[in-house]
């Protein structure tokens, strides 16, 4: 009888202790980041991809054999900037990120199924998001017979689920976020020597091909800047470690400026404004961070990388540039979308079908006067709102707006009650992103996942009257 009771008390999953989880994940990220960054700096992109994916696979196998699903998930989230950069290179195919995240979360579900069950039951926005993603992809596949069309929506969903799972353990969440910041800075450092002819950090020409995306790197750095700045860096467990906080803040701010990503800059600035509006006793610290960013920017302006930063500022704020030039063709796409939606009442209400946005753009771009961006060819629509209204009409747009509004109201209530502002900031960041791109990527998933963290908390029972 006593033996049976003893066995009953043994948990099905042995969770890593918080005190050990954080440094373990950071060391794993560094083991992948250091050699990969060195090879990138030397211009060996293909070899860097082979080394990164080989090391990641080796370390993942070790964690699987050790039975550490949570550590593996935090590690995978931490190296996302390298996954984004090196996907489709060496022996890694383009959609490897989806496969990796699915396997990691699947391993977590096998050994810690209660975690996923609790996250799923508690977060109503997650359930609706999963339903919308699955339904939209199935409809897209039916309409286009192209499995790759809108497939990246699962990148967003898988990262959201991953963040919500590691968010159940503060140390694991802190380790994943620190790893992501370190990895983003490492990617920036590795690409920095190869930007003389391009002028934007985050994209480079190596081994006869272009790799990287300034917006993706910029968004990762902007997210890192906000995580380190608001709520006294509580989310990365650096409340009492000011030296480490500033040691990470300085390179993050400097590299963010050099990406010259207007979307990332907007996310960082808007996030600071939200923190100033809703944050409690954070204004002085945020003003100090803003002053630091200004000093870093001033130093960069007069440094050898100054022309890169000056070109980005010129591209964004020069009044002589047209709206088309400032928005990189997005204004053209909005004109074409307006023409397509107003073609008929059924098209306005129901759209042209999920997945057919690029085909619609190719058709109607030739009918709108003054359009120059991608005329006559299929082009991905650079806004989730634009994509939904073209492909699913006003009804589909209404569904999206209702989900976003309901989730935003839920987060606003939590923010006013709890006082911590990062989830609200990350949700606002996601809203800003989907105005300019589809948002179906891993960094957008990380932002949305952080935004949805309060929805996984156990609801307090209502008091009886």
């Amino acid at each position: 009888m006593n033996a049976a009771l003893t066995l009953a008390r043994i948990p099905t999953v042995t969770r890593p202790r918080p005190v050990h989880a954080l440094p373990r994940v950071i060391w794993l990220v560094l083991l992948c980041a250091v050699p990969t960054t060195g090879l990138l700096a030397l211009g060996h992109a293909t070899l860097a991809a082979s080394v990164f994916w080989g090391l990641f696979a080796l370390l993942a196998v070790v964690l699987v054999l050790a039975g550490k699903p949570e550590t593996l998930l935090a590690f995978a989230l931490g190296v996302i900037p390298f996954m984004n950069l090196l996907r489709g290179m060496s022996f890694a195919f383009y959609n490897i990120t989806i496969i990796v995240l699915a396997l990691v979360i699947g391993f977590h579900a096998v050994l810690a199924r209660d975690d996923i069950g609790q996250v799923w039951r508690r977060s109503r926005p997650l359930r609706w998001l999963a339903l919308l993603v699955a339904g939209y992809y199935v409809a897209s596949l039916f309409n286009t017979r192209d499995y790759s069309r809108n497939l990246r929506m699962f990148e967003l969903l898988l990262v959201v689920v991953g963040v919500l799972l590691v968010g159940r353990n503060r140390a694991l969440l802190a380790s994943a976020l620190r790893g992501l910041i370190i990895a983003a800075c490492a990617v920036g450092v590795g690409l920095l020597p190869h930007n003389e002819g391009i002028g934007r950090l985050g994209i480079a020409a190596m081994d006869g091909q272009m790799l990287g995306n300034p917006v993706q790197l910029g968004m990762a750095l902007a997210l890192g800047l906000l995580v380190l700045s608001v709520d006294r860096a509580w989310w990365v467990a650096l409340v009492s470690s000011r030296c480490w906080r500033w040691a990470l803040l300085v390179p993050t701010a400097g590299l963010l400026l050099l990406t010259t990503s207007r979307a990332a800059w907007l996310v960082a600035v808007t996030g600071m404004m939200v923190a100033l509006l809703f944050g409690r006793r954070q204004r002085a610290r945020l003003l100090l961070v803003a002053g630091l960013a200004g000093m870093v920017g001033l130093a960069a302006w007069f440094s050898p990388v100054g022309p890169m930063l000056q070109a980005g500022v010129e591209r964004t704020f020069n009044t002589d540039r047209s709206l088309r030039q400032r928005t990189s063709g997005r204004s053209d796409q909005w004109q074409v979308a307006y023409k397509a939606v107003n073609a008929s009442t059924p098209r306005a209400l129901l759209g042209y079908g999920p997945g057919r946005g690029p085909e619609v753009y190719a058709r109607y771009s030739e009918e709108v006067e003054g359009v120059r961006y991608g005329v006559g060819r299929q082009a991905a629509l650079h806004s989730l709102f634009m994509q939904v209204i073209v492909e699913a009409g006003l009804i589909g747009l209404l569904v999206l707006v209702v989900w976003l509004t309901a989730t935003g109201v839920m987060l606003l209530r939590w923010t006013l009650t709890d006082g911590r502002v990062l989830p609200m900031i990350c949700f606002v960041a996601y809203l800003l992103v989907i105005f300019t791109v589809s948002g179906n990527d891993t960094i957008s998933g990380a932002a949305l996942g952080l935004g949805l963290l309060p929805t996984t908390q156990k609801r307090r029972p209502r008091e009886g009257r």
Side-chain angles (χ1 to χ4, degrees):
M1 183 68 177
N2 292 335
L5 291 174
T6 302
L7 290 174
R9 296 191 187 103
I10 298 177
T12 57
V13 176
T14 302
R15 296 173 178 266
R17 294 181 181 179
V19 70
H20 299 306
L22 196 152
R24 181 190 299 129
V25 174
I26 300 302
W27 279 113
L28 292 172
V29 172
L30 288 173
L31 282 173
C32 284
V34 172
T36 306
T37 301
L39 290 170
L40 286 173
L42 294 174
H44 304 303
T46 305
L47 181 58
S50 300
V51 169
F52 168 75
W53 289 112
L55 285 173
F56 177 81
L58 176 63
L59 295 174
V61 169
V62 171
L63 291 174
V64 168
L65 295 177
K68 302 291 184 181
E70 294 175 316
T71 304
L72 176 58
L73 181 55
F75 171 45
L77 294 175
V79 295
I80 277 177
F82 280 105
M83 289 187 182
N84 289 336
L85 180 71
L86 301 173
R87 62 193 304 168
M89 298 186 65
S90 185
F91 54 83
F93 50 93
Y94 185 78
N95 290 320
I96 191 172
T97 305
I98 297 177
I99 302 300
V100 167
L101 292 172
L103 290 176
V104 170
I105 293 176
F107 176 60
H108 192 288
V110 171
L111 295 188
R113 57 186 179 274
D114 291 341
D115 289 358
I116 291 184
Q118 289 185 20
V119 167
W120 179 261
R121 288 190 298 271
R122 292 178 181 176
S123 181
R124 184 179 302 171
L126 174 63
R127 295 197 299 271
W128 279 105
L129 177 64
L131 179 63
L132 292 174
V133 166
Y136 203 88
Y137 178 75
V138 170
S140 177
L141 182 62
F142 177 81
N143 286 330
T144 65
R145 301 299 191 273
D146 182 0
Y147 81 93
S148 64
R149 192 69 60 89
N150 288 323
L151 181 64
R152 292 193 66 184
M153 291 191 300
F154 289 102
E155 285 189 26
L156 172 80
L157 179 61
L158 289 170
V159 175
V160 168
V161 173
V163 172
L164 295 181
L165 287 173
V166 299
R168 291 169 51 79
N169 184 318
R170 182 188 171 190
L172 281 168
L173 178 64
S175 64
L177 291 176
R178 281 202 213 178
L180 191 146
I181 296 170
I182 292 171
C185 289
V187 168
V189 171
L191 297 181
L192 193 58
H194 308 284
N195 281 269
E196 293 183 1
I198 299 176
R200 299 191 68 186
L201 183 63
I203 184 171
M206 296 186 201
D207 292 346
Q209 59 183 319
M210 299 295 295
L211 71 153
N213 186 321
V215 177
Q216 284 192 345
L217 178 60
M219 289 301 302
L221 292 167
L223 184 62
L225 180 72
L226 293 170
V227 168
L228 291 167
S229 303
V230 303
D231 297 334
R232 300 176 60 196
W234 183 88
W235 302 91
V236 282
L238 290 176
V239 174
S240 59
S241 303
R242 296 182 180 180
C243 292
W244 281 110
R245 190 192 317 169
W246 291 106
L248 289 173
L249 262 173
V250 172
T252 300
L255 294 171
L256 171 60
L257 289 171
L258 294 181
T259 63
T260 66
S261 169
R262 291 162 291 186
W265 290 357
L266 179 62
V267 165
V269 172
T270 305
M272 291 292 187
M273 294 176 63
V274 172
L276 289 172
L277 182 62
F278 293 102
R280 300 174 183 174
R281 294 176 294 180
Q282 298 190 45
R283 293 178 176 85
R285 186 175 293 102
L286 292 175
L287 291 175
L288 184 61
V289 172
L292 170 67
M295 293 176 59
V296 172
L298 186 63
W301 189 275
F302 294 103
S303 71
V305 297
M308 185 192 311
L309 180 59
Q310 294 167 22
V313 173
E314 179 77 8
R315 184 171 58 253
T316 303
F317 299 106
N318 188 354
T319 56
D320 295 332
R321 291 171 60 86
S322 65
L323 180 63
R324 179 185 296 108
Q325 291 172 324
R326 292 186 184 184
T327 61
S328 303
R330 287 174 174 82
S331 60
D332 283 355
Q333 288 201 331
W334 278 108
Q335 293 181 57
V336 174
Y338 181 81
K339 172 72 174 180
V341 171
N342 285 277
S344 65
T345 301
R347 295 303 187 190
L349 291 175
L350 302 174
Y352 293 80
R356 291 181 175 169
E359 300 169 6
V360 173
Y361 184 82
R363 172 187 172 186
Y364 284 96
S365 59
E366 297 180 324
E367 301 181 13
V368 180
E369 185 178 355
V371 171
R372 298 180 182 177
Y373 178 83
V375 177
R377 64 179 178 84
Q378 296 189 19
L381 300 179
H382 290 290
S383 168
L384 182 61
F385 295 105
M386 188 195 313
Q387 177 185 349
V388 170
I389 197 172
V390 169
E391 296 184 353
L394 291 173
I395 294 178
L397 183 63
L398 178 62
V399 173
L400 175 63
V401 171
V402 168
W403 182 82
L404 291 172
T405 302
T407 304
V409 170
M410 188 182 303
L411 293 176
L412 179 60
R413 291 175 177 172
W414 181 87
T415 301
L416 294 175
T417 301
D418 186 86
R420 286 171 290 182
V421 295
L422 183 67
M424 174 58 74
I425 288 174
C426 290
F427 183 73
V428 172
Y430 176 72
L431 290 178
L432 293 174
V433 169
I434 60 178
F435 268 110
T436 58
V437 293
S438 66
N440 296 326
D441 59 84
T442 52
I443 298 301
S444 298
L448 183 58
L450 288 171
L452 295 183
L453 275 176
T455 68
T456 63
Q457 293 187 355
K458 188 175 181 180
R459 296 181 178 87
R460 297 177 182 177
R462 295 181 180 179
E463 296 180 1
R465 294 182 179 179

